[in-house]
Amino acid sequence: MNFKKLAIAVLAFAAFSCQQEEKKKPNILFIMSDDHAYQAISAYDNTLIETPNIDRIANEGMLFTNACVTNSICAPSRAVILTGKHSHLNGKIDNNFPFDTTQMTFPQLLQENGYQTAMFGKLHFGNSPKGFDEFQILPGQGRYYNPEFITKKEGKKTITGYVTDIITDLTINWLKDERDQEKPFFMAYLHKAPHREWLPAERHYKEFTKKTFKEPATLFDNYEGRGSAAKEAEMNLLTHMNWAGDSKIYPDVMDELGIPETAGWDKAAFQREVGAMNAEQRAAWDKVYGPMNEEFKKQYPKMTQTDKMKWRYQRYMQDYLGSIAAVDEGVGKVLDYLEESGLAENTIVIYTSDQGFYLGEHGWFDKRFIYNESFKTPLLVKWPNVIKPGTTNTQMVQNLDFAQTILAAAQIEAPSDMQGENLIPLFKGETENFREAVYYHYYEYPAIHMVKRHYGIVTEDYKLIHFYDDVDEWELYDRKKDPQEMNSVYADPAYAETLAKLKTDLADLRVKYKDSEDLDKKYMQMYKDKNFMPSPAGK
């Protein structure tokens, strides 16, 4: 063979090898719901609900029992996921400050490196996400019924139906008919549900409004054993949840019973959500919620405060869990399509939420705190031939790690300023030399729910928290002995050695992640200068 023919053969082999390598790149399906508590996934705990389709991901892959967030609030969590950087560096510290769109996000890097990318559902901030070949996203929080979408190619449009079903249909339609089958894909399949104000689909509210759910042991918590932050937070089911928007008491019934609005958007939220229904949808809704309102009118004058708390808990769970039922069905449909089409074998499937959520624990709803139900987020991942089916991981992983991991799976080098860890070694069972502690920082105060600013360090065994701004308080929890976090042991001499080490480790983490007291002061001042108090859309 002469040199010319040899060179051609070598080049042809190299081109073939590159094509083969490109084909090896996995597809990535990233599924995220909004405010989906891990307690409402039966792979974690089936006390409240069965979620057989979401559970399939754990059964065929890995369940993370210590997955958590860096900042438990919607838009900042999403910014952390996209950038792989903590809130103080990406600038999206709360739901009010704008996202810096000049930052590099991992979908942009996927797109630049040969991936076809699509996003359907709830982004929450920004109307033109970078790095996506196709998107149809809800404006802000979006609506449960007959939602409006912002699209890349068609402008704004309203689609009749139930939001969870619509997002699922858009996702499957793209996978079936619109993707380039010669390219690997990244699909962001992002649900609005189960975000407040919870409206299930008709098929589910007919079922779930008849159910009774087990109350959490801490429903009537009095917050003894903790500092001022828990005592002063405004997210109690009885006193801070909206009667119309959240519990679905009709505004005229509130007026008849003399029940004042809990917040300035209470009745407005009801009108915005239920008012978006067409005549047929509203008639079906009223057949179920009308009789519930009539029964409430009879019972309310006789109800004690304890009775009201118990009633509101059941109403909350009926609608919240009913909203999740449609999410689980949608996940099942998408997983079924991956199997039927042959895509499943080379597709990484990730299911998570933008943070945890309180389901009546400590008498609360919402999130924000570093306390367990808020801080911990569901994470289930399957990757055929990489993750052994039915495995569990207990290590401290964060939403900060998603960008780094997805880029590594796609064989793309991550930018040097990303701060997460590559989780692929954990997928393979290689757990040595992984981080032992994670860093958390919450900023949105004073604001709705009045959860004080705080940062902290969390290990598998302990949690150390510093509340600051209008207070200077520390709390320490033994996560193994006190999983419900009822009693701070910060002042307990038996924990003195542990406390000293955690304080040192926390200071080191602040340096590692480039956070500081100067940044704390900067963001406090910026917040006060703007005089932010979130609108209903920011809750």
Side-chain angles (χ1 to χ4, degrees):
M1 183 182 289
N2 61 35
F3 284 114
K4 184 176 181 181
K5 288 182 178 178
L6 179 62
I8 291 172
V10 169
L11 289 171
F13 179 76
F16 174 78
S17 297
C18 287
Q19 289 173 356
Q20 291 299 103
E21 186 67 21
E22 189 70 19
K23 287 180 181 179
K24 288 180 184 176
K25 289 190 173 184
N27 305 309
I28 302 159
L29 173 63
F30 182 76
I31 312 171
M32 184 165 70
S33 298
D34 194 309
D35 292 345
H36 191 172
Y38 71 89
Q39 315 93 288
I41 294 176
S42 49
Y44 287 97
D45 184 346
N46 66 357
T47 301
L48 292 173
I49 190 172
E50 294 288 343
T51 52
N53 294 298
I54 297 172
D55 291 0
R56 282 167 61 183
I57 303 171
N59 295 337
E60 297 171 18
M62 182 173 283
L63 179 76
F64 288 84
T65 61
N66 266 316
C68 58
V69 296
T70 65
N71 183 358
S72 185
I73 188 168
C74 295
S77 176
R78 292 160 190 265
V80 168
I81 289 169
L82 287 170
T83 64
K85 293 186 284 190
H86 275 275
S87 300
H88 59 273
L89 292 188
N90 69 45
K92 187 68 179 162
I93 61 167
D94 59 24
N95 279 337
N96 298 286
F97 278 95
F99 177 64
D100 178 4
T101 57
T102 66
Q103 294 181 95
M104 180 60 67
T105 64
F106 79 82
Q108 290 173 266
L109 294 169
L110 290 173
Q111 188 183 52
E112 290 173 5
N113 285 273
Y115 271 74
Q116 190 178 22
T117 56
M119 174 188 286
F120 297 105
K122 181 178 177 179
L123 174 61
H124 192 175
F125 62 87
N127 294 337
S128 184
K130 289 185 176 182
F132 289 94
D133 299 305
E134 171 67 311
F135 63 78
Q136 296 193 45
I137 58 175
L138 299 166
Q141 298 290 2
R143 296 191 301 258
Y144 273 101
Y145 281 83
N146 308 324
E148 182 181 62
F149 284 86
I150 299 166
T151 74
K152 185 165 185 175
K153 300 172 183 175
E154 307 170 76
K156 290 185 178 181
K157 65 179 184 181
T158 298
I159 302 178
T160 300
Y162 184 67
V163 67
T164 304
D165 300 340
I166 293 167
I167 293 167
T168 297
D169 291 344
L170 291 172
T171 297
I172 294 175
N173 180 68
W174 186 88
L175 291 170
K176 276 185 178 180
D177 302 326
E178 297 182 21
R179 68 183 179 87
D180 182 345
Q181 297 189 16
E182 299 302 312
K183 291 183 177 182
F185 66 78
F186 171 76
M187 162 62 73
Y189 169 40
L190 310 177
H191 283 296
K192 167 184 172 60
H195 193 279
R196 187 185 188 193
E197 290 76 13
W198 312 279
L199 273 74
E202 180 183 347
R203 62 189 182 275
H204 293 131
Y205 64 66
K206 286 180 176 178
E207 173 190 358
F208 277 77
T209 52
K210 298 175 183 177
K211 291 178 178 284
T212 300
F213 298 94
K214 182 180 178 180
E215 295 173 359
T218 59
L219 181 63
F220 293 95
D221 194 350
N222 62 10
Y223 314 113
E224 301 236 345
R226 282 141 292 173
S228 65
K231 295 180 177 71
E232 295 178 20
E234 296 178 358
M235 47 198 212
N236 183 270
L237 290 177
L238 176 59
T239 54
H240 301 117
M241 185 175 273
N242 286 336
W243 284 95
D246 295 329
S247 294
K248 311 305 186 301
I249 297 301
Y250 291 177
D252 63 315
V253 173
M254 288 177 62
D255 293 342
E256 184 178 341
L257 295 174
I259 300 174
E261 289 189 282
T262 304
W265 62 85
D266 189 343
K267 295 178 182 178
F270 180 93
Q271 299 295 358
R272 182 184 68 245
E273 289 290 345
V274 179
M277 296 177 179
N278 61 32
E280 182 180 357
Q281 293 164 341
R282 182 62 190 267
W285 174 271
D286 285 336
K287 280 185 179 179
V288 173
Y289 286 85
M292 180 270 287
N293 271 264
E294 289 304 312
E295 181 62 24
F296 179 77
K297 283 199 296 184
K298 296 177 186 175
Q299 297 300 325
Y300 182 78
K302 300 178 286 185
M303 293 168 76
T304 65
Q305 293 296 92
T306 298
D307 293 335
K308 291 174 186 175
M309 182 66 151
K310 288 173 171 285
W311 184 90
R312 300 206 77 179
Y313 170 74
Q314 295 300 332
R315 274 281 50 251
Y316 174 28
M317 288 299 94
Q318 289 165 357
D319 289 346
Y320 178 91
L321 297 170
S323 300
I324 288 171
V327 173
D328 187 67
E329 289 176 351
V331 169
K333 289 178 181 178
V334 175
L335 293 179
D336 286 347
Y337 177 72
L338 292 180
E339 293 286 347
E340 294 161 6
S341 63
L343 289 169
E345 190 65 18
N346 192 37
T347 300
I348 302 169
V349 178
I350 301 167
Y351 186 92
T352 191
S353 174
D354 49 358
Q355 62 263 318
F357 213 67
Y358 289 104
L359 304 185
E361 299 90 357
H362 309 292
W364 288 336
F365 67 106
D366 207 70
K367 56 260 186 179
R368 301 167 193 266
F369 274 116
I370 194 175
Y371 299 142
N372 193 51
E373 291 83 5
S374 168
F375 164 77
K376 181 174 170 178
T377 194
L379 179 60
L380 308 85
V381 185
K382 82 179 187 84
W383 187 357
N385 303 313
V386 175
I387 298 176
K388 182 181 177 181
T391 51
T392 299
N393 181 280
T394 64
Q395 288 170 287
M396 302 303 302
V397 304
Q398 280 192 302
N399 56 353
L400 183 72
D401 303 327
F402 296 166
Q404 208 98 347
T405 302
I406 288 169
L407 291 174
Q411 303 162 36
I412 299 168
E413 185 176 353
S416 59
D417 63 345
M418 282 190 175
Q419 298 179 306
E421 301 287 341
N422 175 10
L423 301 182
I424 293 177
L426 301 189
F427 295 166
K428 298 177 179 179
E430 300 165 5
T431 58
E432 291 185 8
N433 301 317
F434 193 73
R435 72 155 77 90
E436 294 184 356
V438 294
Y439 180 63
Y440 179 92
H441 200 151
Y442 174 79
Y443 298 86
E444 192 172 287
Y445 177 85
I448 181 175
H449 298 307
M450 296 301 284
V451 172
K452 296 181 184 296
R453 291 171 181 256
H454 59 288
Y455 58 82
I457 181 174
V458 186
T459 71
E460 289 189 46
D461 295 325
Y462 299 103
K463 181 178 294 181
L464 176 66
I465 314 164
H466 182 211
F467 292 96
Y468 69 97
D469 190 358
D470 63 331
V471 295
D472 180 11
E473 296 179 357
W474 291 81
E475 295 177 8
L476 173 64
Y477 295 94
D478 187 324
R479 298 185 71 205
K480 296 291 176 64
K481 293 182 179 179
D482 182 20
Q484 294 179 328
E485 298 170 328
M486 299 294 285
N487 293 288
S488 171
V489 293
Y490 182 79
D492 188 336
Y495 289 86
E497 187 176 336
T498 297
L499 176 61
K501 183 180 185 307
L502 286 171
K503 280 198 170 183
T504 298
D505 291 346
L506 175 56
D508 290 345
L509 279 184
R510 299 251 293 168
V511 172
K512 174 182 177 179
Y513 290 123
K514 301 179 181 179
D515 203 1
S516 66
E517 190 174 338
D518 287 342
L519 276 177
D520 297 344
K521 291 176 180 177
K522 170 189 169 183
Y523 283 125
M524 281 191 288
Q525 192 57 52
M526 288 173 63
Y527 202 81
K528 288 167 184 173
D529 289 346
K530 291 284 186 181
N531 193 28
F532 277 132
M533 278 298 285
S535 67
K539 64 186 179 305

